Amino acid sequence: IFNLWWRAFDEIDSVQRHNPGYSCWTPIFSEKPYYMTQSDFCYMIGPDMFDEFVKPELAASHRRLTNGFYHLDGPGELAHLDSLLKIKELKGVQWIPGDGQPFPEEWPEVYRKIRDAGKLIQVFGHKSGFKTLDKIADDLGSGKNIIFIHSVDASKLDEAKAFLKRHGCDEE
C-alpha cells in the first residue's frame, strides 16, 4: 500500500508541477511537496509497536516530502509524540485533541514539546477563535512557528487585522 500510495502521489505530482504549489485536506500552502501524514491505527498500539510498525513508514514518507506534517489525532496518540519528533525530516505537527477533550489551547505541554523539538505547530481556531492562538502564544512566549488556521466572517475584518498585528503579521 505504501508503494502504491507514493506511485499515485508521484503521478499527481507530475501534473502538479504546472501549478504554483501544494496543499491537502488541511489548508497549508507549500511551494514544495507537502502532505499531512497520519496513522489512526497508532491510537490502538503502544510505543514499542509504533516504533516497529508505524514510525519507519512515516519516516520514509517524510524523507520524500519537503514539508511534511503529522496529524496527531487525540490523547491516545500522545504516547508516540516523543518518537515522532525524532523524525528529522518531519516539519511540523498538527495537534487535534478530539471530541470530548479540552479545546486545543488547553494543551500547552504538547505545543511546548513540539516547539522545543524544533518543529512547526499547526492549530485550528475552532470555537475559541482568535483566543486559541492568543492563549497558545502566551503560554509559549510567542506565536512564532505556529500555523494558525481560522475562518473569519467579513464583518470581523477589524478584529482579524488587530489579531494579525498583535502577532507581528502585516495586514496585507
Side-chain angles (χ1 to χ4, degrees):
I1 291 172
F2 176 82
N3 291 330
L4 287 174
W5 190 92
W6 274 105
R7 189 169 119 201
F9 186 93
D10 290 340
E11 287 183 30
I12 292 169
D13 186 45
S14 71
V15 175
Q16 173 66 24
R17 293 181 200 280
H18 302 287
N19 289 316
Y22 298 78
S23 191
C24 67
W25 58 268
T26 192
I28 298 173
F29 175 79
S30 174
E31 292 179 356
K32 306 274 184 177
Y34 154 74
Y35 198 75
M36 181 70 70
T37 62
Q38 68 185 77
S39 174
D40 291 342
F41 174 72
C42 78
Y43 202 97
M44 299 180 284
I45 60 175
D48 291 342
M49 290 182 81
F50 176 84
D51 286 347
E52 182 176 352
F53 298 109
V54 178
K55 185 178 178 182
E57 186 175 300
L58 287 173
S61 288
H62 285 277
R63 282 191 295 274
R64 293 188 64 172
L65 294 165
T66 305
N67 293 317
F69 272 67
Y70 183 80
H71 170 71
L72 190 66
D73 194 3
E77 289 196 26
L78 288 175
H80 311 304
L81 182 56
D82 289 337
S83 184
L84 275 169
L85 294 174
K86 291 178 183 168
I87 298 174
K88 184 178 105 180
E89 296 84 1
L90 176 70
K91 287 291 170 104
V93 176
Q94 173 197 72
W95 166 237
I96 303 291
D99 290 340
Q101 298 299 322
F103 286 145
E105 63 269 22
E106 301 302 324
W107 300 83
E109 68 284 356
V110 173
Y111 299 117
R112 194 169 291 110
K113 186 176 278 197
I114 295 167
R115 179 179 276 171
D116 288 351
K119 310 298 184 188
L120 299 172
I121 298 165
Q122 192 267 301
V123 65
F124 288 101
H126 295 292
K127 296 176 183 175
S128 301
F130 296 126
K131 293 176 185 175
T132 299
L133 181 59
D134 287 337
K135 179 157 183 353
I136 294 169
D138 282 348
D139 289 341
L140 297 179
S142 79
K144 184 179 178 186
N145 294 331
I146 298 174
I147 299 168
F148 181 68
I149 298 172
H150 183 61
S151 297
V152 180
D153 186 89
S155 66
K156 297 186 178 194
L157 187 57
D158 289 340
E159 183 182 348
K161 287 180 179 180
F163 170 80
L164 291 171
K165 187 174 182 180
R166 190 166 57 248
H167 290 286
C169 301
D170 293 333
E171 292 180 18
E172 303 294 322

